[in-house]
Amino acid sequence: MVSIDKAAIVLTMAIVAIALGFTSTGGITQDVGPAVTTPPTVSTETSESEASSFGADLAAEIREKASSMEEEVMMEEIEEEVMMEEIEEEVMMEESTEPQTHTVEIPVGTGGLGCETTNECYSPADITINAGDTVEWINIDSVAHTVTAGSPRDAQVEVFDSSLMMADKSWSFTFEDAGSYDYFCMIHAWMTGSVTVN
Ligand SMILES: [Cu+2]
């Protein structure tokens, strides 16, 4: 009976010590000082070591649980971040699928030969857009130009044609259908460009 009581006390002390942060057996032995004054039987010693290991196991278990809880919190935070990023991405996707307007300039001096050597009669001469997007041509030159679908040998005015664009005027066309559209200037045959619609 006595040894069982002692064991129970040691066990309780061990748990209390563990709870207070004493994890070494030295701390426990100090605390149970009065109990040790009576010659300890073999059974008590065994109980004490069992109690200690039980306490240590308990502490380890608590630590493990605490760290797994921390991990859980961290995982939740990471999941939240990923979700936020996904939402942001979705918003960006929605924005990018909304129709856009692209600007193409008709540069100064394109009324004279030369711009065709560097493909700069329209700037940019070749652009890629999405179906539903609009292209706005701005004539910043001092002479009139056109933006006409096709080529000088095969004009396709039915596809699109700005007709004469005077200096500082602009003209827009919305491309609803995917495809590759070549265009040129009716007045200056060397002026060519293209619009690729995805
Ligand atoms: Cu022109």
Side-chain angles (χ1 to χ4, degrees):
M1 273 303 277
V2 176
S3 65
I4 291 162
D5 285 343
K6 271 185 193 171
I9 289 162
V10 168
L11 186 68
T12 311
M13 295 297 278
I15 291 163
V16 169
I18 294 300
L20 289 171
F22 292 98
T23 47
S24 71
T25 27
I28 293 160
T29 315
Q30 258 185 342
D31 283 348
V32 293
V36 179
T37 45
T38 50
T41 59
V42 177
S43 65
T44 13
E45 262 177 20
T46 313
S47 298
E48 196 180 336
S49 72
E50 268 173 14
S52 301
S53 74
F54 174 76
D57 286 350
L58 189 69
E61 205 179 303
I62 289 164
R63 260 186 258 124
E64 208 173 284
K65 267 187 190 163
S67 72
S68 75
M69 271 171 75
E70 258 172 51
E71 257 169 52
E72 252 172 62
V73 170
M74 269 175 67
M75 284 301 288
E76 269 169 34
E77 276 171 12
I78 289 165
E79 272 168 30
E80 217 169 278
E81 256 174 58
V82 169
M83 267 178 67
M84 285 301 287
E85 272 169 29
E86 274 171 15
I87 289 165
E88 271 170 35
E89 236 168 74
E90 261 172 50
V91 169
M92 275 176 70
M93 286 284 282
E94 271 168 34
E95 276 172 8
S96 69
T97 52
E98 258 176 43
Q100 308 223 327
T101 297
H102 309 263
T103 302
V104 174
E105 281 185 353
I106 300 175
V108 174
T110 48
L113 273 163
C115 61
E116 77 284 0
T117 59
T118 50
N119 195 27
E120 289 175 307
C121 297
Y122 296 95
S123 182
D126 306 301
I127 60 163
T128 301
I129 64 169
N130 291 318
D133 285 0
T134 296
V135 179
E136 182 186 29
W137 284 267
I138 303 169
N139 182 10
I140 61 168
D141 198 12
S142 54
V143 300
H145 294 282
T146 77
V147 172
T148 308
S151 66
R153 285 165 180 264
D154 181 24
Q156 294 169 355
V157 291
E158 70 281 3
V159 178
F160 61 85
D161 177 34
S162 65
S163 74
L164 271 186
M165 283 171 67
M166 305 313 278
D168 296 322
K169 296 290 182 203
S170 66
W171 178 76
S172 298
F173 185 78
T174 300
F175 293 82
E176 301 291 358
D177 303 316
S180 188
Y181 302 86
D182 287 333
Y183 65 88
F184 70 106
C185 174
M186 283 246 200
I187 303 156
H188 315 100
W190 56 88
M191 294 178 65
T192 60
S194 78
V195 178
T196 302
V197 183
N198 289 327

